[in-house]
Amino acid sequence: MKYNFDEVIKRIGTDSEKWESGGHGNVYFDENSLSFSIADMDFALAPAIDKAIRDRLDKKVLGYTEVATKEFRASVCGWFKRRFDWDIDGKLIYTVTGVMPGVRLAIDKLSEEGDGVVIQQPVYPPFMGSIKTLKRKIVVNQLIKDENNFYTINFDELESQLADPHNKIMLLCSPHNPVGRVWSEQELCKIADLCHKYGVVLVSDEIHCDLLRVGAKHTPIAKLRPDYDIITCVSPSKTFNIAGLEIANMIFTNEKLRVKTVGAGGMQCANPLSISALLGAYNDSEDWLDEVRVYLDGNLKFLKNWLEENLPKVKYRIPDGTFLAWLDVSAYQPDSEKFAKDCGKGGIIIEQGDVFGNGGKGFIRFNVATPRSIIAEGLERMKKVVENYK
């Protein structure tokens, strides 16, 4: 490989949420803990992004910065055309500080207090938090899990929920965090058609769209149904490990929906370093991403082989997308909160499954976007925790 993803980079002293608090203030975290919690990577920045930021600093001024430039729009449109064969109208891109701020903006502008928002649990916890904060109603379309930890959608239930006139928005997680499904085009079309049939706005969080297993294919749902009311939220933050720079894009399928969500003017002013980072990522870092994907595939296979040999009762299916493993540890400890606390005491920080909502009990989420040596050490610590249950 051209890039060295085995390099262990010490993140203590960088104000890392993942490595200096363990994520969400884990009470058992200390400087000797290994963290597999917050969903960012522990790999060095892509050189082209590093250069783009340094070159921007050389210009010596960091004033108010216009984001809606031809160069910026061409970079975003070019990326999605090359990677997904998706044609985007650059005028329908609206830049925000993150995917979840974009999701919250959509909920706030496209529904009223008390309206229902449909989500599919287990799912990324800020979905629930955002809906509650905005005083909307959480409507759960529970994902169906088979004995192999493969998840599918309960479409009969989904249609009845979307048919309810009180439910105004559906939040789709695609690829899905934490279960790792990359939804098929057939599934995506069915979701979009149902939302359109009942006048429900579809907001699709596709932040993990670039992080697929080698050979897997993600299709933006708006590409399949460009005539429907769909907002796609994307970002280079997960893809290129620049989440701390806070930049994301909302991509609308039509001008009417854009204006309704962000206003006629839609003034955008972004961090100049974030803009430079996005340009360095989308224009010059595809080779870095391609190698990251190969390395992540290796980490996920390593995890699966290790578990089969050392903790065979853990149920685990390699995800289609994301760098997050969704592990069923219930055979060893059905209480995922207790399992997470015991792991914390044992020097390994993971995400407990019950925070992802219904269907998360007995599961943990494990981030593999880190050097393989760190994973190996973390798993040994987890093994010691499990041995104490015997």
Side-chain angles (χ1 to χ4, degrees):
M1 281 189 172
K2 179 180 178 181
Y3 303 102
N4 179 19
F5 302 113
D6 287 321
E7 178 188 4
V8 177
I9 299 171
K10 297 294 185 181
R11 296 184 64 186
I12 301 296
T14 66
D15 300 318
S16 165
E17 182 180 5
K18 180 180 177 183
W19 284 95
E20 296 196 46
S21 70
H24 313 304
N26 191 292
V27 296
Y28 300 108
F29 185 84
D30 63 31
E31 62 181 12
N32 297 312
S33 298
L34 297 178
S35 183
F36 303 89
S37 57
I38 301 301
D40 65 11
M41 301 186 194
D42 296 322
F43 307 135
L45 196 63
I49 300 175
D50 185 285
K51 183 179 185 303
I53 294 172
R54 294 178 190 276
D55 288 349
R56 180 64 183 83
L57 286 171
D58 287 343
K59 297 183 185 299
K60 298 182 180 180
V61 177
L62 298 173
Y64 289 119
T65 305
E66 172 61 45
V67 65
T69 63
K70 288 183 179 180
E71 181 186 20
F72 183 90
R73 288 172 171 170
S75 182
V76 175
C77 292
W79 179 263
F80 286 96
K81 178 62 177 177
R82 292 193 307 275
R83 304 294 290 196
F84 305 101
D85 194 28
W86 183 25
D87 293 305
I88 297 170
D89 181 347
K91 295 179 182 179
L92 296 177
I93 297 172
Y94 186 79
T95 302
V96 286
T97 56
V99 162
M100 287 313 301
V103 167
R104 287 191 288 273
L105 176 63
I107 294 173
D108 183 49
K109 297 299 183 180
L110 302 175
S111 65
E112 304 291 336
E113 289 187 10
D115 286 344
V117 179
V118 179
I119 60 174
Q120 296 172 309
Q121 291 182 347
V123 75
Y124 184 50
F127 275 25
M128 288 80 81
S130 297
I131 296 168
K132 290 179 180 178
T133 298
L134 293 168
K135 299 181 181 179
R136 272 59 169 180
K137 179 183 177 183
I138 295 173
V139 180
V140 178
N141 173 233
Q142 188 69 36
L143 294 176
I144 302 169
K145 179 178 69 70
D146 69 13
E147 65 276 7
N148 297 313
N149 275 12
F150 183 79
Y151 287 80
T152 54
I153 296 168
N154 184 339
F155 278 104
D156 290 337
E157 179 184 63
L158 180 61
E159 179 162 15
S160 67
Q161 292 166 332
L162 296 177
D164 185 336
H166 296 97
N167 299 333
K168 302 297 178 61
I169 293 174
M170 177 176 178
L171 295 186
L172 176 67
C173 196
S174 177
H176 193 282
N177 171 16
V179 309
R181 274 298 313 278
V182 171
W183 306 113
S184 69
E185 290 191 4
Q186 181 180 13
E187 289 169 313
L188 293 171
C189 286
K190 197 167 183 178
I191 291 169
D193 289 345
L194 287 172
C195 286
H196 182 69
K197 178 180 179 179
Y198 295 108
V200 173
V201 176
L202 179 57
V203 180
S204 185
D205 171 0
E206 302 191 13
I207 196 169
H208 291 277
C209 66
D210 299 304
L211 296 161
L212 311 176
R213 304 292 73 78
V214 175
K217 178 187 177 184
H218 167 83
T219 304
I221 194 166
K223 173 187 172 182
L224 298 171
R225 294 293 187 264
D227 296 328
Y228 294 175
D229 281 346
I230 300 175
I231 303 171
T232 307
C233 297
V234 293
S235 173
S237 61
K238 300 289 186 195
T239 306
F240 295 100
N241 202 35
I242 54 173
L245 290 176
E246 297 190 334
I247 190 165
N249 291 296
M250 303 172 74
I251 301 172
F252 297 86
T253 49
N254 60 75
E255 177 66 5
K256 183 179 179 181
L257 181 61
R258 188 195 70 80
V259 171
K260 190 175 181 180
T261 307
V262 303
M267 186 184 76
Q268 301 173 83
C269 183
N271 182 327
L273 300 183
S274 301
I275 295 171
S276 295
L278 180 145
L279 295 174
Y282 283 165
N283 294 347
D284 300 302
S285 300
E286 285 193 65
D287 64 333
W288 184 91
L289 173 60
D290 290 339
E291 288 199 6
V292 162
R293 289 176 58 189
V294 172
Y295 191 82
L296 291 174
D297 282 12
N299 280 357
L300 290 163
K301 290 175 183 176
F302 172 81
L303 173 61
K304 185 172 182 60
N305 292 336
W306 191 94
L307 290 171
E308 288 174 350
E309 293 178 9
N310 296 275
L311 296 175
K313 293 182 182 179
V314 174
K315 295 180 181 179
Y316 162 53
R317 176 183 177 273
I318 292 178
D320 308 324
T322 81
F323 49 69
L324 305 164
W326 185 236
L327 309 180
D328 182 350
V329 298
S330 59
Y332 295 110
Q333 175 52 261
D335 185 338
S336 56
E337 181 178 5
K338 175 173 173 49
F339 189 86
K341 288 181 178 179
D342 291 340
C343 282
K345 294 175 185 177
I348 173 174
I349 309 300
I350 45 85
E351 293 274 8
Q352 63 193 59
D354 49 356
V355 300
F356 295 86
N358 295 341
K361 186 176 181 180
F363 283 79
I364 63 168
R365 195 187 72 170
F366 189 97
N367 180 353
V368 303
T370 195
R372 208 158 295 161
S373 60
I374 300 297
I375 295 175
E377 172 60 25
L379 290 172
E380 289 296 335
R381 295 184 185 187
M382 185 186 295
K383 183 179 179 181
K384 291 180 181 178
V385 170
V386 171
E387 287 173 345
N388 289 330
Y389 293 142
K390 296 177 181 179

